[in-house]
Amino acid sequence: MQETIKEIVVATKNAGKVAEFKVALNGLPYKVTSLVELGNFPEATENGVTFAENSCSKAEFYARLTGKLCLADDSGLEVDYLKGEPGVYSARYAGEHAGDEDNNKKLLSNLIGVPPEKRTGRFRCVLALANAEKTLLTTDGTVEGVILSEPRGDKGFGYDPLFLVPELGCTLAEMSHEEKNRISHRGQAIREMAKQLAVLEK
């Protein structure tokens, strides 16, 4: 009997994220589609206080709009000294229309004089799969690190140049795309989602 191929829509306009999902779900009976391929959709409102709340509401929002299974993620940086900031506000830490440079400057200004041993933090990602009625699965991933006092590396984006992974001795912005995917919070969450989907299909 032929396997039924289900469609999963990835709630992002980022082609790199879509490619990651396609690789992770390769071999499973799912066709991965991006929102861009389906039309022009409004932005989902992200007003949750946790990454899980935002990823679930975003997945359900686009599942209702498209009528298909939908995957959405929310991720950001949590700094221990700053009691978890910037957290869910990572992308808009320095203001609603702030860019990476503005956000990095604000982070560094909030950590002036803080010694290296107190500059610990992590990138966290929560991934949610939903249909139009509810969230079906969630997975998460984290990568632990230390916030440097000045940027290093020209790859990556966001806070990557300030985020040192101690056991590797380099920042996320100094790693190749493949290296970063292997250890990243999003890569972990995606691989775990693929495992859970594989179990569901058995």
Side-chain angles (χ1 to χ4, degrees):
M1 193 168 107
Q2 194 172 9
E3 225 168 5
T4 306
I5 302 293
K6 303 183 191 81
E7 188 170 12
I8 287 183
V9 178
V10 182
T12 182
K13 294 172 184 173
N14 182 319
K17 280 190 191 179
V18 177
E20 279 185 66
F21 283 110
K22 284 184 175 177
V23 169
L25 300 184
N26 186 34
L28 293 173
Y30 292 95
K31 178 192 174 191
V32 176
T33 308
S34 74
L35 275 180
V36 177
E37 294 173 69
L38 296 179
N40 193 18
F41 294 98
E43 291 288 327
T45 303
E46 295 184 46
N47 52 13
V49 296
T50 65
F51 296 124
E53 284 178 13
N54 280 338
S55 62
C56 291
S57 66
K58 193 168 18 172
E60 290 172 23
F61 175 78
Y62 287 115
R64 287 192 294 271
L65 283 181
T66 62
K68 302 174 187 295
L69 285 173
C70 189
L71 269 172
D73 78 294
D74 193 37
S75 58
L77 177 66
E78 300 172 335
V79 179
D80 296 321
Y81 182 82
L82 301 176
K83 298 179 180 174
E85 284 189 12
V88 293
Y89 303 104
S90 292
R92 53 190 189 279
Y93 193 38
E96 206 56 49
H97 303 290
D100 290 349
E101 192 176 341
D102 302 315
N103 290 330
N104 283 333
K105 278 182 182 172
K106 180 173 181 179
L107 179 63
L108 289 177
S109 71
N110 286 342
L111 291 172
I112 288 173
V114 178
E117 65 272 16
K118 291 188 178 178
R119 298 170 76 102
T120 54
R122 71 208 46 78
F123 273 114
R124 185 184 300 280
C125 173
V126 177
L127 185 59
L129 176 72
N131 60 22
E133 285 79 47
K134 63 179 181 178
T135 297
L136 304 171
L137 290 172
T138 61
T139 59
D140 64 88
T142 58
V143 57
E144 300 286 332
V146 175
I147 312 305
L148 297 177
S149 55
E150 55 183 42
R152 276 174 36 187
D154 56 5
K155 302 182 183 77
F157 58 91
Y159 302 99
D160 287 358
L162 295 175
F163 191 85
L164 179 78
V165 182
E167 60 265 31
L168 298 179
C170 58
T171 68
L172 290 178
E174 293 174 306
M175 296 180 192
S176 69
H177 184 66
E178 292 73 26
E179 286 173 316
K180 183 182 169 185
N181 281 350
R182 185 173 54 78
I183 67 141
S184 80
H185 50 307
R186 184 177 295 107
Q188 291 174 40
I190 290 173
R191 287 189 291 275
E192 183 57 32
M193 180 62 72
K195 279 184 196 171
Q196 292 201 26
L197 284 170
V199 170
L200 283 181
E201 291 305 314
K202 284 183 179 175

